[in-house]
Amino acid sequence: MAVLVLPQALWERVVAHCLDGLPMEACGLLAGVERTGGVGPGSIEAGEMGAGEVGAGEVGAGGAGANGERWRHEDLTVAEVCEVYPAANAALSARLYTVEPKDLLRADRAAERAGWSLIGVWHSHTHSPAYPSPTDIAAAPDPLWHYVVVSLSDTEPVLRSYRIVGGQVREEPVLTRGIAARALGW
Amino acid sequence: MPVEVRLPTVLRPLAGGGAVVKAEGDTLREVFKDLVRQYPGLSESLFTPEGDMHRHLNVFLNDDDVRYLGRLDAKVGPADTVTLMPAVAGG
């Protein structure tokens, strides 16, 4: 399984960009690093996670995975977001987004200069839940990416992250860095 | 002189796994054809069945989007870098 670590300051920048984009959908890129295995034993319980810090149904429902198992570090892929790059929505739409190609190139180059990779994308849903739409699923370009959806349809923004592989959607926990450090033994 | 072609992660498994490959050509079309000659698995990611540039692909010649440079007819020189990136879109 995978975990997305999104520092609180970057969480706020993502959500702020989504709010700034209203009434249109907003989007941007996530840059960071990924590590698999050897990241320390997991011991997160749902109650340890603060509001706005976690958007994963499987954690909320079962502590750590739908079946309630603790995270086993040898199976865990940790994707740490080191920077976020807001992008223009070239679709200029409240229902669709297209990351402006120039912004995509700029983000890719900036990430590379910093020693990171682009590891995902975020976009807002202005009137629907934080779950990938059929359009999102069909258009997902990279099975290794993390697809973050920010819903602005309720009183508070809701941010959740997913992997989309072969049309299958799997939600992943989103942790702030502080919680990840405690949970993953950093 | 071959040009440098930078590949996104999603295309690397189809081209030997590397992030950067070399290809020959004086136009983007020729570069793409040389890429397909070397890595046939890239064909469907680069071209439509009609032979146009795949619409889910962003292609940059150095810093410029090739959609504004003639698409597949864009002239390519030995000092140029072609960067391929997937279109990132949804709803």
Side-chain angles (χ1 to χ4, degrees):
Chain A
M1 78 179 269
V3 173
L4 187 73
V5 178
L6 181 62
Q8 184 68 29
L10 299 183
W11 187 98
E12 290 174 7
R13 283 174 55 196
V14 167
V15 172
H17 182 64
C18 293
L19 291 169
D20 287 346
L22 286 171
M24 305 300 181
E25 288 197 5
C27 55
L29 286 310
L30 308 171
V33 294
E34 291 210 2
R35 284 165 283 191
T36 301
V39 292
S43 60
I44 286 184
E45 296 295 345
E48 293 182 300
M49 299 172 180
E53 295 176 336
V54 173
E58 34 177 15
V59 171
N67 59 7
E69 287 182 3
R70 298 297 176 106
W71 297 345
R72 290 173 299 159
H73 69 279
E74 69 269 20
D75 295 338
L76 195 61
T77 295
V78 178
E80 182 177 4
V81 179
C82 301
E83 183 58 283
V84 297
Y85 300 108
N89 177 5
L92 291 174
S93 166
R95 300 201 173 275
L96 297 171
Y97 80 94
T98 300
V99 172
E100 168 59 38
K102 280 273 199 181
D103 291 340
L104 179 61
L105 181 68
R106 265 195 291 270
D108 186 59
R109 293 203 172 152
E112 186 179 34
R113 278 195 300 272
W116 307 318
S117 301
L118 293 185
I119 60 171
V121 60
W122 88 78
H123 77 284
S124 59
H125 282 177
T126 58
H127 293 91
S128 57
Y131 190 83
S133 67
T135 306
D136 294 330
I137 296 167
D142 193 328
L144 298 177
W145 268 20
H146 304 265
Y147 294 89
V148 168
V149 185
V150 179
S151 174
L152 304 176
S153 66
D154 212 336
T155 50
E156 288 191 26
V158 175
L159 182 151
R160 296 181 186 272
S161 184
Y162 303 86
R163 307 302 285 269
I164 302 175
V165 181
Q168 299 298 307
V169 178
R170 182 174 170 82
E171 188 170 4
E172 61 187 2
V174 181
L175 309 181
T176 62
R177 203 172 194 294
I179 290 178
R182 190 148 52 101
L184 304 175
W186 289 1
Chain B
M1 279 284 288
V3 298
E4 185 176 283
V5 181
R6 300 169 58 83
L7 302 173
T9 53
V10 71
L11 294 185
R12 291 173 195 171
L14 302 173
V20 179
V21 295
K22 301 278 189 183
E24 301 268 2
D26 294 327
T27 65
L28 185 62
R29 187 188 314 276
E30 291 175 6
V31 169
F32 274 18
K33 285 184 174 177
D34 191 43
L35 283 174
V36 171
R37 181 187 60 75
Q38 298 178 68
Y39 309 107
L42 286 176
S43 179
E44 289 184 11
S45 301
L46 302 183
F47 291 110
T48 65
E50 295 74 32
D52 198 0
M53 200 173 82
H54 199 294
R55 70 187 183 94
H56 292 312
L57 191 65
N58 287 308
V59 184
F60 300 94
L61 186 58
N62 305 316
D63 290 336
D64 297 315
D65 190 330
V66 300
R67 276 173 277 227
Y68 306 106
L69 299 174
R71 300 173 66 87
L72 288 175
D73 295 323
K75 299 292 184 194
V76 178
D80 289 333
T81 297
V82 175
T83 302
L84 309 182
M85 301 196 75
V88 182

